[in-house]
Amino acid sequence: MSFELTKAHEGVARVIREMHAKLEEPLTLRHMARVAFASRFHFHRTFRRITGVPPTQFLYTLRIARARHLLCNTQMNVTDICFEVGYNSLGTFTRRFTELV
């Protein structure tokens, strides 16, 4: 594997770890690119090439997976789960949850 490709994979891996660690926090493309030590445009293109999906979609999927786990394994209500996984709007959360689940 080339040096550039290795660095790109390391950057994407750092961002994915950050997503998991800060799932409930707002993570902008600019912040993710900083974590990956890349420009926003290069990071977006690289992340999509490596994972198959754009970074924001990847983050949404992680959040919805966590929400699904909480719904099935806790007594938390939907509104609390919505905020727990990083959504600020119950409507947006419900729409994305319905689309993905």
Side-chain angles (χ1 to χ4, degrees):
M1 195 179 301
S2 76
F3 177 75
E4 288 299 317
L5 193 53
T6 301
K7 288 296 179 187
H9 279 87
E10 289 172 3
V12 168
R14 271 194 309 277
V15 171
I16 291 172
R17 283 192 301 272
E18 179 94 352
M19 287 177 177
H20 281 283
K22 299 180 178 181
L23 196 59
E24 72 286 350
E25 295 180 22
L27 296 174
T28 64
L29 184 61
R30 172 175 273 143
H31 175 78
M32 289 184 240
R34 266 191 248 131
V35 170
F37 306 119
S39 74
R40 287 180 300 175
F41 305 106
H42 180 70
F43 168 70
H44 187 275
R45 188 173 46 252
T46 301
F47 191 98
R48 187 175 189 143
R49 188 181 72 226
I50 291 171
T51 66
V53 295
T56 51
Q57 185 178 345
F58 191 94
L59 179 60
Y60 296 155
T61 303
L62 288 179
R63 287 178 172 168
I64 294 300
R66 177 72 177 141
R68 186 174 180 197
H69 173 80
L70 291 172
L71 282 167
C72 292
N73 297 298
T74 70
Q75 296 299 314
M76 293 174 71
N77 66 46
V78 174
T79 303
D80 292 338
I81 290 172
C82 164
F83 295 116
E84 176 76 19
V85 299
Y87 283 90
N88 296 321
S89 163
L90 184 58
T92 301
F93 169 75
T94 303
R95 188 178 80 253
R96 288 219 175 101
F97 191 89
T98 302
E99 288 171 358
L100 294 173
V101 179

